[in-house]
């Protein structure tokens, strides 16, 4: 858990309200705060977002720290452009400022291992990858899936495996989406600049090829707004991260998880050719060795997203052939 450098109270309030009230459709707990739970198997008990500090005991990894560029070691910090979307990847606590989640815990743990201070700025998801090349930020976080398109301009250091999944309203006749042509004629809600938007755009013509009405892609920039669209009937299906979808359906009434569509490795994002990648990779692998890695996954209920070892810009995991 860590406290971000806010990009503005107004935006913070808007995003937090979307996540807690609209996006998750949460029930109120004692004291009036929104009730949330760690992502896990469907039917997990309701409770507060976990705030256990599982990275406090991380010690400096001298071997990993030696891999840092001299200028980074000298300044003793790195700048993070972070997208705050939905749990368990990232979310705000009820104070509307404190960022928690898988991304925040791994950022804090790697920083401790490298002996650095992370300085976070909240940035819109679709703006982070283009901004890395400017040099303003050293690293980006936002559950960024590793794709071949992104690898041409971005370096990644992987830390979990997540991917693409679907959800819909409980009264929908849909049971699972194994072929994107099952979406023909439907309205699909996605976040802007995501692999979900890209996947749907790349396959949009398949419906017409089969003589069917194309699906409509509804793109939302604000975190969690796609859940509001689903609940209000403005969209028929949500396509989002597997862990995010599994989490959200435990929080909302009248919403059901459909299925995983595909898996993707997820990593810290850097400008191409960054000298930081070897140090971050060594730090993540060190966290696996000392047990911190597994503690973070258990805290957020995403043990199924564990990877054997961190890699630098591995090939994209192939999409389903359908």
């Amino acid at each position: 858990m860590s406290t971000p450098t806010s990009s503005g109270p107004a935006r913070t309030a808007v995003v937090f309200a979307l996540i807690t009230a609209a996006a998750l459709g949460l029930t109120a707990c004692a004291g009036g705060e929104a009730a949330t739970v760690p992502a896990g198997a469907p039917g997990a008990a309701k409770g507060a977002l976990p705030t256990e500090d599982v990275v406090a005991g991380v010690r400096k990894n001298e071997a990993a720290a030696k891999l840092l560029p001299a200028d980074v070691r000298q300044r003793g910090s790195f700048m993070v452009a972070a997208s705050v979307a939905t749990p368990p990847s990232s979310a705000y606590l009820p104070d509307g400022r404190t960022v928690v989640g898988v991304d925040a815990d791994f950022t804090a743990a790697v920083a401790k291992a490298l002996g650095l201070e992370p300085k976070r700025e909240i940035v819109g998801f679709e703006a982070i990858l283009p901004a890395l090349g400017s040099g303003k930020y050293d690293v980006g976080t936002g559950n960024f899936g590793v794709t071949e398109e992104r690898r041409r301009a971005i370096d990644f250091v992987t830390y979990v495996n997540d991917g693409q999944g679907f959800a819909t309203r409980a009264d929908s006749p849909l049971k699972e989406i194994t072929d994107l042509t099952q979406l023909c004629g439907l309205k699909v809600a996605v976040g802007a600049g995501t692999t979900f938007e890209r996947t749907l755009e790349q396959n949009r013509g398949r419906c017409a090829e089969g003589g069917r009405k194309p699906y409509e892609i509804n793109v939302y920039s604000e975190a969690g707004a796609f859940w509001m669209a689903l609940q209000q009937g403005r969209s028929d299906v949500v396509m989002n991260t597997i862990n995010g979808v599994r989490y959200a359906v435990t929080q909302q009434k009248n919403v059901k998880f459909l299925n995983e569509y595909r898996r993707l490795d997820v990593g810290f994002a850097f400008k191409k050719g960054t000298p930081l990648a070897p140090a971050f990779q060594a730090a993540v692998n060190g966290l696996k060795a000392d047990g911190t890695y597994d503690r973070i996954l258990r805290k957020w209920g995403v043990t199924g997203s564990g990877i054997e070892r961190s890699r630098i810009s591995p090939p994209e995991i192939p999409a389903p052939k359908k």
Side-chain angles (χ1 to χ4, degrees):
M1 181 181 72
S2 56
T3 303
T5 300
S6 176
S7 62
R11 186 178 186 281
T12 296
V14 170
V15 175
F16 178 61
L18 278 168
I19 293 170
T20 56
L24 297 181
L26 305 176
T27 58
C29 63
E33 295 180 349
T36 56
V37 301
K46 297 286 190 290
L49 277 165
T51 56
E52 175 191 5
D53 190 344
V54 295
V55 307
V58 175
R59 297 181 178 180
K60 186 175 181 180
N61 182 330
E62 296 292 349
K66 287 180 180 179
L67 298 174
L68 288 167
D71 63 321
V72 176
R73 287 202 305 270
Q74 184 173 7
R75 74 174 187 253
S77 65
F78 60 92
M79 191 70 192
V80 185
S83 167
V84 181
T86 53
S89 176
S90 58
Y92 289 107
L93 288 182
D95 63 10
R97 293 182 57 84
T98 305
V99 176
V100 298
V102 174
D103 291 346
D105 278 348
F106 272 112
T107 299
V110 166
K112 280 180 168 288
L114 295 176
L116 300 175
E117 177 189 359
K119 296 183 177 180
R120 181 187 295 115
E121 183 173 326
I122 305 305
V123 181
F125 179 90
E126 66 274 22
I128 291 178
L129 297 185
L132 291 175
S134 71
K136 181 179 181 180
Y137 307 106
D138 298 301
V139 59
T141 63
N143 202 280
F144 288 109
V146 180
T147 67
E148 294 304 316
E149 180 180 1
R150 287 175 173 171
R151 289 201 317 150
R152 289 195 287 269
I154 298 293
D155 281 341
F156 293 93
V157 172
T158 60
Y159 56 95
V160 292
N161 176 273
D162 195 347
Q164 303 176 341
F166 291 101
T168 188
R169 290 184 298 277
D171 60 359
S172 171
L174 290 170
K175 301 298 182 183
E176 62 178 357
I177 303 295
T178 57
D179 189 314
L180 295 180
T181 58
Q182 293 172 263
L183 299 172
C184 295
L186 301 180
K187 298 177 181 179
V188 188
V190 298
T194 60
T195 61
F196 322 115
E197 182 183 8
R198 186 196 70 153
T199 295
L200 293 174
E201 288 286 1
Q202 289 177 335
N203 290 275
R204 187 194 288 269
R206 293 179 58 198
C207 294
E209 290 171 2
R212 303 175 65 184
K213 182 180 178 180
Y215 49 72
E216 180 179 314
I217 307 171
N218 296 335
V219 181
Y220 297 91
S221 294
E222 285 294 352
F226 37 81
W227 291 112
M228 184 187 297
L230 181 70
Q231 290 281 19
Q232 294 179 348
R234 291 182 284 113
S235 293
D236 301 300
V237 177
V238 162
M239 187 179 188
N240 195 28
T241 66
I242 294 167
N243 290 335
V245 170
R246 285 192 181 278
Y247 188 103
V249 299
T250 69
Q251 307 307 302
Q252 303 184 63
K253 295 180 179 179
N254 304 319
V255 176
K256 64 182 180 181
F257 178 77
L258 290 176
N259 61 288
E260 296 184 10
Y261 178 67
R262 67 173 299 194
R263 283 275 173 175
L264 286 171
D265 289 318
V266 170
F268 294 106
F270 305 84
K271 68 179 180 180
K272 195 70 177 176
T274 177
L276 288 171
F280 270 67
Q281 179 192 32
V284 173
N285 286 329
L287 296 173
K288 287 190 64 67
D290 71 17
T292 302
Y293 184 92
D294 289 337
R295 285 193 291 273
I296 293 172
L297 297 191
R298 286 196 299 269
K299 172 182 175 179
W300 293 102
V302 293
T303 54
S305 284
I307 57 176
E308 291 186 7
R309 61 184 176 88
S310 177
R311 295 189 291 169
I312 297 175
S313 299
E316 177 180 352
I317 297 174
K321 294 183 178 181
K322 291 183 178 181

